[in-house]
Structure formats: structure tokens, C-alpha cells
Amino acid sequence: MPPAPGSAGPAAPGALPLPPATGAWREGDPPGRRRWWVRAGPLALEAGGELPEVRIAYETWGHLAPDASNAVLVLHALTGDSHAAGPAGPGHPTPGWWDALIGPGRALDTDHWFVVAPNALGGCQGSTGPSSAGPGGRPWGSAFPRLTQRDQVAAETGLADQLGIERWALVLGGSMGGMRALEWAVAHPGRTGALMLLATTASASAEQIAWATIQARAIRSDPFWCGGDYHDAEPGHGPHTGLGLARRLAHVTYRSEPELHVRFGRDPQGTEDPWQGGRYQVESYLDHHAAKLVRRFDAGSYITLTDAMNTHDIGRGRGDVRAALRRISAPTLVAGVDSDRLYPPSQQGELAAGIPGADRLRVIESPYGHDGFLIETEQVGLLVRELTARTG
């Protein structure tokens, strides 16, 4: 695996240039396939206060039917964005994260479905978030308010209205995207025609909050964090070390111990000697993923979105989780990954048992842990086809 980027300073010959202070999409960058919706007025927030302006970046595939009956809402996980399908290119540093599922002849067949993928409110790839310009024109930074999943869905309802979609034929997402999909079905049952929940939960558990808190502490401990106001810093002077540590921690929870053992074992990286300061292969693997993330993501968005995930409790203010789940009227398919140690299948079992329109829990077989819902696209595609065939 490629080595991690070094500390701020002159780049070695042949090394990558220093990363910018933030990996966020910023004004003046290539727009790629993004389109934008801007809310007409402020958005009141569940935790108090408001966002005076809300902009949501989104991408679409296929064509909306005249009666808008074929619209599908695809919701991304923590470090995802609106680029769910398509190649990397200007404005899109990585290929679509669910590219194998979206397109002609695929499970979400764009010859039939109109697929919409928004970048979550609080994200960093075109939607309003900590890296966006605030009321004074400078990045929001530390002044960006607390968000919840309910705030994110409230913003997405405005996007649906703008697109002329009164009711989604299908809402689906995994992990954080599954939290938002669940919130759509509970808060707006009349607008959710069918529901697919992957590797997600009715409420964040103590362990999930613990892992997220450690990751947030790593970012906030970075000397270049500057309280969240770092977005105008010179390249190499953003909180890259903290964000990279957060990514390393998270990535271990996203995969399974058996996979890491089989794939890497105790082998050294190339000619490096761990007894002489070199790395094991698994260390290089984590370094590689950290180096990629700091160039395409924003540390402030990482804090904002993980905090929103920690607040996730579908039963808050609705009696309890069971009462909230009973509000869902959509035909529902719930699936978990058998090797997921971050969002274990027992959590999806609670959803399947509590949602009136769900039948049994489906299990995705994968050695890849939580990331299985992104990697096992053949199995996920079969589940999408099953649900869409059932609901017409």
C-alpha cells in the first residue's frame, strides 16, 4: 500500500503535494455531475436555532416519469456523497460508491427508475456544512450548528418538493444512510412507498457512540484543528493527522478480524522491517485509507456527521422505538451483514421485528464486516430486485 503523507513541510521528490486544509468541494472546483437545490428560507433545527441558508448538492440518473411514480432516493453513509454512480473525474475524486447497482440493466435500472442521491446536510461535497460559506462569507467552521438526522431529512423533503416528487417509490440506505431512510419512513410515511434498510439501527448504541467519540477526540486533538476554524489554512496545515487517525480507527470497525487476518496476517509491508521502525501490511493499509480520506473529506463534516449519528434515536419524542417503528407503513426489507461488528445483525433484527411491513431479517454473507453492504453489490442487488418486484 502507498505510504501515508508526511507531516507538513517540503514535499519529498516524487511525493504527492501537501493536502489542502480541507478535502471539501469548494466554490470554483469543477461541479462534476452535481446539481443544487437551495431552500427558500431558513431551516429550524431540532437542537435549537436555525440554518439561515440550506443548499443540497445532488445527482440524478434516469428520467422522472410524468406522474413522478418512479423516483428512488439513495442515501449515503458517513464519508459518502452524492456521487453514487459514475467514474472518478473532475469534481469527483472517487468513482461512484454504489456504481454496480445504478445504471441500465442494474438492480436500480435507470431505464425504469429515476434515482436521486443527495449529499447529506452537514456534508462536504457541495451541501451546506462546516466548510461552506456562512452568513459573513467565511467558512462556517466552529460556528456550524448541531444537526440531527431529522434536520437532514427535513432538508431533503424540500429537495423532493423541488423535483416534484410527492412520494418516493423506494427509499434506501446503509449505515448512516439507513438512519436517514428510517427517519424518512417514520416522519413521512405517506412519502415513502417502499423502504430498504441495510446495516443500520433504530438508535445509536453505547459502543457506536464510544467509537465515534474517540474518532472525534482524535480530530479535535490535532494542533491544526484550531477549534474548527482551519479552512483557510495553507496546504499541509489542516487537521490531517487527527482526521487520518479517525479514519484508521473507523476503518478497523468497518472490517472484520478474520478478513484482516487472512488478508494481512503479521506480514511486513514490502521490505519494511517492523522491528526497525517499519510497518506491518495492515498498518500500511490503514495509512493508505487515511491518506485518501484527508484529500476528499472535511474534518468539520466528520465531526458534524458523527455527532448526528450519535443523536440518532428513532423513538425520541415518539414514545419509544417500538412506537416509532409502528408508524412505518411502507413494505420494508431489512438486511444485515453476518460479519458486521459495528452494526451487528441483532440491531437489524430489532428493525425487522418492529416494522409492520417487514417480514424476516435478510443476511448478507460477507467476510468484509460492516463494509459488506457496499462491497457485496451482487447480494444487495438481489435484495433490491426482490423488494421492487414485491412493490411493483
Side-chain angles (χ1 to χ4, degrees), residues 236-321:
H237 289 270
H240 306 124
T241 298
L243 180 57
L245 284 172
R247 180 61 167 180
R248 290 173 176 88
L249 285 164
H251 203 74
V252 172
T253 72
Y254 296 159
R255 309 305 278 242
S256 74
E257 188 279 332
E259 185 224 352
L260 296 178
H261 172 70
V262 170
R263 187 172 178 183
F264 302 113
R266 294 181 49 79
D267 293 341
Q269 172 64 20
T271 59
E272 297 183 34
D273 183 356
W275 285 60
Q276 301 295 327
R279 296 172 298 169
Y280 292 98
Q281 281 187 8
V282 71
E283 291 180 83
S284 176
Y285 170 71
L286 296 176
D287 289 346
H288 173 63
H289 281 280
K292 287 202 307 181
L293 189 74
V294 300
R295 293 179 181 275
R296 70 168 185 85
F297 212 74
D298 178 60
S301 279
Y302 201 101
I303 294 284
T304 294
L305 297 178
T306 53
D307 181 62
M309 293 172 73
N310 285 350
T311 69
H312 173 62
D313 178 1
I314 203 67
R316 183 175 60 251
R318 294 165 171 155
D320 57 19
V321 165

Side-chain angles (χ1 to χ4, degrees), residues 104-167:
R106 297 175 183 174
L108 291 172
D109 187 345
T110 50
D111 289 336
H112 175 71
W113 300 109
F114 177 66
V115 180
V116 181
N119 182 212
L121 183 66
C124 62
Q125 289 297 318
S127 291
T128 300
S131 60
S132 305
R138 297 181 62 82
W140 272 98
S142 61
F144 194 75
R146 165 175 257 181
L147 296 181
T148 68
Q149 309 289 331
R150 298 183 189 184
D151 299 324
Q152 293 168 329
V153 169
E156 289 164 3
T157 60
L159 170 61
D161 292 342
Q162 174 66 29
L163 294 173
I165 300 167
E166 295 184 3
R167 183 175 181 268

Side-chain angles (χ1 to χ4, degrees), residues 61 64 88 99 103 185 199 331 366 382:
W61 299 264
L64 187 62
D99 188 65
S366 175
L382 290 173

Side-chain angles (χ1 to χ4, degrees), residues 170-186:
L170 171 63
V171 178
L172 72 160
S175 193
M176 185 187 84
M179 295 177 180
R180 287 155 61 205
L182 185 61
E183 180 61 32
W184 260 100
V186 171

